[in-house]
Amino acid sequence: MKRPIAMIAGTGRAVPKRTMSNDEFAAIGIETNDEWIRERTGIRLRHVAGEGETLTSLGAEAARVAMQAAGVTAGEIDSIVMATVSPDHLLPSAAVEVQAAIGASRAAAFDVDAACTGWIYGVTVAEGLLATGSAETVLVIGGELLTRIVNWKDRNTCVLFGDGVGAAVLRRATKGRGVLASYLRSDGTLAQLLWRPAGGGVKPASQETIDDGSFFVQMQGREVFKHAVRSMADACDRALDQAKLSADAIDLVIPHQANIRIIEATAKHANVPMEKVYVNVDRYGNTSAGSIPIALDEAIRAGRITDGSTVLFVGFGAGFTWGSLVVKF
Ligand code: UT7
């Protein structure tokens, strides 16, 4: 089927009110410092959900903003695809909770679990729904409350992650605008480099799993870093090849925001100057599935994406999963 099939008609984002600076970790007994975190990751701040702030409340807020930008009502949404690894409840899906919150009563709603690449996966699933005629209007939401599943005693992980949600409304493409290329990959043989060992069927949640930290996110950072650089480079090449575009034709790159050093390595490989790369990891940390759609919404509202812009999205995360999109606006 000929592309473009799906276009991004509107975007939104929502983050918790409270921000936490690098200096605040010392107060909760974490042996770290602002200089280490900034130099190794580029992160200065992250948002942390407080009482009453849930993935559902932030997801619904981001969705409402996206629907308003797209000029559609909740009743017009045919499908909600929600990318997350930190749902409010393990059963049912996060997507149905957002559906109920926004009153999208006609929608089919389900989650996509592809960690930091989740929103890119979600857009591709939405494209398929539009291509088959199963849907005309799809909400693709990506977001997390990672601060609820990290180990606040583990400095290897707790300084890296933050909370937030981004959303986009996808509709049938018009005037040649929309998704021009999509590339998705995964490698489950590397799953244990970034995972939650307990809490599922193999090792159900217990006091022991909380005490030994296996209930929370665990990561072998250096290994993940190497794979992230390699896979994001691969994903840039594949999407550009598929779209038959050279790097010069890209107006903006929106990479997953995990670490400024990974982002810089990706830009260098893709031969795109950093002026054409959107960076907000300094203000959000790593919000996993939220990272790319939050950056997209900021970039649109800041005027960095306008009519006619061609944008390369590239992500990598637990699984491992990685992927990319080229989208014309
Ligand atoms: O979302 C997709 C998946 N996630 C990622 O893409 C993250 C990928 N990984 C990374 O971004 C980096 O590997 C990290 C930021 C996690 C770590 O940076 P690094 O340069 O790879 O450091 P390292 O893990 O090799 O650790 C260097 C040192 C260690 O000390 P020793 O063994 O050299 O004495 C760590 O114990 O830094 C120590 N360290 C810390 N020191 C201060 C680790 N965490 C901290 C900390 N504060 N928070």
Side-chain angles (χ1 to χ4, degrees), residues 128-179:
L129 292 169
L130 287 158
T132 58
S134 301
E136 291 291 322
T137 306
V138 185
L139 250 177
V140 184
I141 306 169
E144 311 285 356
L145 252 57
L146 290 177
T147 63
R148 301 272 165 91
I149 61 166
V150 297
N151 183 351
W152 284 92
K153 294 184 182 134
D154 175 15
R155 71 175 183 173
N156 290 300
T157 49
C158 72
V159 304
L160 304 174
F161 298 107
D163 300 333
V165 182
V169 173
L170 267 71
R171 304 201 86 178
R172 199 164 294 286
T174 57
K175 299 180 201 155
R177 289 179 300 185
V179 179

Side-chain angles (χ1 to χ4, degrees), residues 30-33 36-37 40-41 116 154-161 194 219-226 228 256-259 261-262 286 288 316-318 320:
I30 303 293
E31 213 179 300
T32 188
N33 58 72
W36 190 96
I37 301 171
R40 301 286 180 124
T41 72
C116 308
D154 175 15
R155 71 175 183 173
N156 290 300
T157 49
C158 72
V159 304
L160 304 174
F161 298 107
L194 174 48
M219 176 168 73
Q220 292 182 36
R222 211 174 299 182
E223 281 305 306
V224 175
F225 189 100
K226 281 189 242 162
H256 170 50
Q257 311 278 321
N259 185 316
R261 293 185 290 139
I262 297 174
N286 181 347
S288 188
F316 172 86
F320 289 145

Side-chain angles (χ1 to χ4, degrees), residues 204-216:
S206 65
Q207 190 58 49
E208 187 197 336
T209 65
I210 291 170
D211 294 343
D212 69 14
S214 60
F215 182 72
F216 303 106

